[in-house]
Amino acid sequence: MSPAPMSPAFPAFSRLLHWLMALMIIAMLFIGIGMQASLADYHWLLSVHRPLGIAILVLAAVRLLNRRVSPPPALPAGMPGVLAFAAHASHVALYALMFAVPLVGWAMLSAARYPVVLYGSLVLPPILPQNDMVFAILRTTHTVLALALFALILAHIGAALMHAIAFRDGVFQSMANWRLRPVRACSGASGR
Amino acid sequence: MQSEPDPSKDTYRLWPPGPRLLAALGASALVALALAGGLAYAGGLFTPGRLTQRAIVDTFQKINGVHPGFRRNHTKGACIAGHFESNGAGQRLSKAVVFAPGTLPVTGRFAVAVGKPFVPDNKTQVRSLALRFELPGGEEWRTGMNDIPVFPVPTAQDFTGLMTATAPDPATGKPDPARVSAFFGAHPEVAAALKRITGRPFASGFANASYNSLDAFRFVAADGTVTPVRWAMMAVDPDVAEPADQPGTPDPDYLFDDLAARLARGPVEWHLVATIGQPGDPTADATLPWPDDRQKVDLGTLTIDHIEAEAAGNCRDVNFDPLVLPAGIEPSDDPLLSARSAAYSVSFTRRAGEPKSPSEVQFPAQGGAPQ
């Protein structure tokens, strides 16, 4: 009967990226849903939605590279295979959607021949030729993928709370850790 | 927190659920409920009475019927092309590249302001000109203008109210006079605006009509100076008033056919004229005209030399969203602008996914194009 091994913390830059993107993506989902039901705020919300989406796309790429440079800590050795698989699969899906939702947004605006204005006179080039049927399909895809991302984020938060409250295996602390230096995360029990 | 190090086989035990697992599930459910509830609130799920862009387009569809693949308003139209030659006079007002001296390609669309694709032209009272200026670097300026001096309503709520109040009663085929007068009684500003609109000089066609932005915008100069403006495309062709009574059955597409015939004789020009607002001029209410003595600046000449029927890839598939603006032109505080942008987007998204059928407006093979 050995104690559950504690996970070491994520590197500080990885944690910064995670929490920054968490805020941006949740804000983005609220902006995306909210602007479709608001007449007065539609324009300014859309003006934020486009550059924020592109920023998320860029940060997702930074994060994927950062993962190669500083890999995340391994999951606790004692985690059952099915939970470890769920953890890996959900992270693959999260990364896929962090890329797919903004890319589909950019592609759909391209197919509709809307200029993808980021700020001022900075406009992204179209990545698809004009085609209104393609726009219609991508427009629906954008919403469906965004809602899938939202559902996945809820599952991710649920899993994090399971680690924090039920499993207490240090996985939650490996990300919810506010120290700059990457020390080993401690649960309440391990300091004794 | 009191806890002994757990044996690893118990750490991940899911069944039977212990108190910690139940607490974690409860916390997860609370967070999920809060976020999903917040998202549903942002999406308007708990405020069904609030006017949304979908509701506005639904109102158009209720009154005009659904005509798949067509715009929900300004439905009957034709595509045009030409260029804009800037004289440089706008540069001191706006840093927008469109106002630097030079020539830019322009495409656009003439239409009649009714939500039915096969309405005869003589049953329409408002004509519109929508334009898309293509600037270097991917910027665009899109504008939708009408040949009326002011907009009939100040807000999207009043727009829906006016449409609903003046819609034909299914029983009689005519608007219910009681509802109409009740609406105008409650909205004297709409009655006043409509009086200006119906009393305006009515040009005989598209080519000699002038078109107004109606909404105010802000020109932003290179030094940051902001100027409130309304703009207009002022016709160069002589203003011939439309005869009040036309004998016989008129060509149902006479506006478009006349324009094609006019273009066959040569390009048609308009002057882009900005009216400069002074402090106190209403920018947030498109029903109110600005005083006549306001300075007007001629910014350049629009030349249209080509017309064609709507087809895949041309103006048919462009959303003339009035808030597609280049740097140097910004929306004013007029609430109609964001509402128009939002409703146009819904109309565009709906029709984009629908099967298309040909427009009523078609031109003979050689068209009105000189080239």
Side-chain angles (χ1 to χ4, degrees):
Chain A
M1 293 258 187
S2 58
M6 294 297 141
S7 293
F10 277 84
F13 184 58
S14 307
R15 280 177 277 143
L16 174 73
L17 280 174
H18 168 271
W19 290 108
L20 181 65
M21 288 194 74
L23 279 177
M24 288 166 74
I25 291 173
I26 289 173
M28 194 61 173
L29 289 164
F30 275 83
I31 290 171
I33 294 288
M35 71 187 195
Q36 294 173 61
S38 170
L39 292 171
D41 298 325
Y42 173 79
H43 178 65
W44 81 263
L45 288 175
L46 180 60
S47 310
V48 173
H49 193 83
R50 279 182 308 242
L52 190 54
I54 296 300
I56 288 170
L57 180 62
V58 169
L59 283 179
V62 169
R63 223 167 141 192
L64 199 60
L65 288 173
N66 179 60
R67 245 182 121 85
R68 306 296 290 259
V69 178
S70 20
L75 290 170
M79 237 174 109
V82 64
L83 289 187
F85 173 78
H88 284 301
S90 64
H91 280 79
V92 169
L94 279 168
Y95 269 88
L97 288 173
M98 285 192 291
F99 281 98
V101 179
L103 272 175
V104 168
W106 185 357
M108 90 191 190
L109 294 182
S110 304
R113 213 24 115 237
Y114 286 111
V116 187
V117 179
L118 293 189
Y119 183 78
S121 57
L122 182 59
V123 181
L124 290 182
I127 53 173
L128 279 186
Q130 179 179 21
N131 185 314
D132 64 339
M133 276 292 174
V134 170
F135 163 75
I137 293 162
L138 291 178
R139 177 67 195 77
T140 307
T141 308
H142 189 61
T143 302
V144 169
L145 291 183
L147 290 176
L149 178 57
F150 181 66
L152 208 53
I153 287 170
L154 294 187
H156 181 76
I157 294 172
L161 290 173
M162 294 289 272
H163 284 287
I165 300 170
F167 307 152
R168 304 195 186 183
D169 55 0
V171 167
F172 180 77
Q173 284 81 2
S174 71
M175 185 53 87
N177 182 315
W178 318 110
R179 291 169 212 258
L180 276 181
R181 313 230 26 215
V183 292
R184 289 178 68 83
C186 302
S187 79
S190 68
R192 304 223 255 138
Chain B
M1 241 187 279
Q2 277 292 99
S3 70
E4 293 301 315
D6 292 322
S8 66
K9 77 174 170 69
D10 280 351
T11 304
Y12 296 104
R13 199 187 66 203
L14 297 176
W15 194 263
R20 284 178 177 181
L21 191 72
L22 290 174
L25 287 174
S28 303
L30 278 180
V31 172
L33 208 64
L35 281 174
L39 202 66
Y41 175 80
L45 203 67
F46 305 130
T47 45
R50 190 169 82 190
L51 183 65
T52 63
Q53 39 272 61
R54 288 186 295 274
I56 292 176
V57 178
D58 287 345
T59 304
F60 274 110
Q61 294 182 175
K62 202 173 136 200
I63 291 170
N64 299 309
V66 179
H67 305 284
F70 287 102
R71 281 170 163 78
R72 268 36 176 182
N73 196 13
H74 295 251
T75 308
K76 180 182 177 184
C79 299
I80 51 169
H83 59 270
F84 174 69
E85 190 174 351
S86 165
N87 58 23
Q91 269 181 309
R92 69 175 177 86
L93 298 167
S94 166
K95 64 186 173 191
V97 181
V98 64
F99 299 129
T103 301
L104 290 173
V106 176
T107 51
R109 185 173 182 270
F110 278 108
V112 287
V114 174
K116 294 177 176 167
F118 303 109
V119 64
D121 290 349
N122 66 335
K123 299 283 183 205
T124 66
Q125 280 131 28
V126 177
R127 296 145 193 186
S128 64
L129 170 59
L131 296 172
R132 176 186 182 214
F133 299 71
E134 291 178 64
L135 283 58
E139 279 196 290
E140 288 193 21
W141 177 25
R142 298 183 188 178
T143 174
M145 295 165 288
N146 291 300
D147 70 334
I148 50 179
V150 290
F151 201 65
V153 291
T155 64
Q157 285 72 16
D158 290 343
F159 188 72
T160 308
L162 176 66
M163 265 201 298
T164 309
T166 55
D169 185 327
T172 62
K174 286 188 157 63
D176 176 355
R179 283 175 67 187
V180 173
S181 61
F183 181 82
F184 288 133
H187 298 87
E189 74 285 0
V190 178
L194 279 173
K195 205 172 156 209
R196 290 181 198 281
I197 292 168
T198 51
R200 77 192 190 279
F202 200 45
S204 61
F206 282 125
N208 57 5
S210 296
Y211 303 86
N212 297 302
S213 71
L214 306 174
D215 301 304
F217 290 80
R218 291 147 47 100
F219 276 0
V220 183
D223 65 2
T225 309
V226 173
T227 309
V229 296
R230 286 172 173 175
W231 59 70
M233 281 293 175
M234 305 298 293
V236 172
D237 273 19
D239 183 10
V240 181
E242 186 160 53
D245 287 307
Q246 285 154 330
T249 310
D251 168 9
D253 307 323
Y254 78 95
L255 283 174
F256 296 93
D257 292 341
D258 286 359
L259 177 62
R262 169 65 187 83
L263 282 167
R265 296 197 300 274
V268 188
E269 291 182 344
W270 286 262
H271 284 280
L272 174 60
V273 174
T275 302
I276 310 300
Q278 294 297 317
D281 287 347
T283 54
D285 188 340
T287 66
L288 299 175
W290 286 354
D292 284 335
D293 64 356
R294 290 295 177 256
Q295 188 196 357
K296 291 181 165 57
V297 182
D298 188 332
L299 306 174
T301 306
L302 172 72
T303 303
I304 296 299
D305 55 18
H306 176 80
I307 188 164
E308 64 186 30
E310 290 186 303
N314 67 12
C315 79
R316 189 194 75 179
D317 299 339
V318 172
N319 174 5
F320 291 97
D321 178 339
L323 292 184
V324 171
L325 299 169
I329 308 179
E330 291 180 359
S332 68
D333 54 352
D334 186 337
L336 284 172
L337 283 171
S338 182
R340 280 175 70 189
S341 186
Y344 286 28
S345 170
V346 171
S347 166
F348 179 77
T349 302
R350 286 191 187 173
R351 72 175 191 266
E354 294 165 346
K356 309 292 189 293
S357 48
S359 165
E360 156 78 12
V361 182
Q362 298 292 334
F363 302 103
Q366 95 285 2
Q371 272 132 10

